[in-house]
Amino acid sequence: MELTVGQVAKRAEVAVSALHFYEQKGMITSWRNQGNQRRYDRSVLRRLAVIKTGQQLGLSLEEIKQALSVLPIDRAPSQEEWESMGQNWKQILNEKIRLMTKLRDELGDCIGCGCLSLNRCRLRNPEDILAQQGNGALLWKQNT
Ligand code: FES
């Protein structure tokens, strides 16, 4: 069964512009009918549900795209393919949880002063990104 862009937008509760955006990013697909109007396979609704759920969980579009990459883009996935995506998703979520837990446990160092200093605030720079880039006054070097 094929769906129009309006039907997809309504059923998935997603703006038409968002559908175009996801399509541009390769996360969903459509084809043109003889009247040059976009048509979608019904399976796009499940992909959009995955995208929305991923966003609610705080995943980036790239992470959601990575999770979706194991599903066929133009037909309903098999049970095996869903399970594969679930494993993929689980790995992404486990890594997020690890990072969030680390951040929470290290927040004792942050005095919560509101400075959000890149040099000393673990809230702003949880992985100490600057330290990984080398020694010295990196921000000063970048800005000069
Ligand atoms: S907000 Fe100032 S150290 Fe974190």
Side-chain angles (χ1 to χ4, degrees), residues 74-136:
D74 55 352
R75 64 170 169 81
S78 66
Q79 185 62 34
E80 201 172 72
E81 288 165 336
W82 273 120
E83 285 170 13
S84 177
M85 193 209 74
Q87 286 303 319
N88 208 346
W89 200 316
K90 198 181 270 184
Q91 280 176 11
I92 294 169
L93 287 174
N94 280 342
E95 179 60 10
K96 285 253 178 231
I97 290 167
R98 187 189 70 77
L99 289 174
M100 293 301 282
T101 303
K102 186 170 183 275
L103 174 60
R104 182 203 60 199
D105 292 347
E106 290 178 355
L107 270 185
D109 295 346
C110 169
I111 57 176
C113 63
C115 71
L116 296 175
S117 160
L118 206 48
N119 289 327
R120 67 186 180 117
C121 180
R122 291 202 180 265
L123 200 57
R124 170 92 190 274
N125 185 12
E127 295 292 302
D128 200 0
I129 296 162
L130 288 179
Q132 292 166 17
Q133 292 174 356
N135 297 321

Side-chain angles (χ1 to χ4, degrees), residues 3-33:
L3 301 170
T4 66
V5 67
Q7 289 170 323
V8 173
K10 187 175 177 188
R11 289 194 196 184
E13 297 181 353
V14 170
V16 169
S17 58
L19 292 176
H20 293 166
F21 177 73
Y22 297 144
E23 194 165 345
Q24 224 174 27
K25 294 284 179 189
M27 300 170 84
I28 61 172
T29 190
S30 68
W31 66 90
R32 299 278 178 169
N33 68 6

